[in-house]
Amino acid sequence: MAANSSGDRADSRFLTIAEVAAMMRVSKMTVYRLVHNEELPALRVGRSFRVREEDVDEYLRKSFYSAG
């Protein structure tokens, strides 16, 4: 049986833009840019955004490279 995407969301931890910025050690504006450019998936809740912790981890994993 296929996994239900709404079931996946129920098990997820959602972070605010400020929490994502602190986790990534960047400004909130950088996170907003990532969300608006669709580089980082987010859900809109009223006038604010929520980002799944797994999506932040995946973004960082894809962005990491060895410098040397």
Side-chain angles (χ1 to χ4, degrees):
M1 181 158 51
N4 185 342
S5 63
S6 63
D8 292 342
R9 286 190 191 127
D11 296 338
S12 298
R13 178 167 182 244
F14 288 91
L15 306 172
T16 64
I17 295 296
E19 290 171 328
V20 174
M23 183 177 179
M24 294 175 66
R25 296 181 187 223
V26 297
S27 71
K28 290 192 293 185
M29 202 65 202
T30 299
V31 179
Y32 279 117
R33 258 188 238 113
L34 292 171
V35 169
H36 286 292
N37 291 336
E38 298 180 358
E39 296 176 50
L40 184 62
L43 295 173
R44 190 152 200 154
V45 179
R47 294 179 59 191
S48 62
F49 291 96
R50 295 294 183 269
V51 181
R52 288 187 332 149
E53 190 170 26
E54 294 85 10
D55 291 332
V56 176
D57 292 338
E58 180 64 22
Y59 175 81
L60 292 173
R61 197 172 10 265
K62 288 191 307 188
S63 299
F64 183 78
Y65 67 94
S66 180

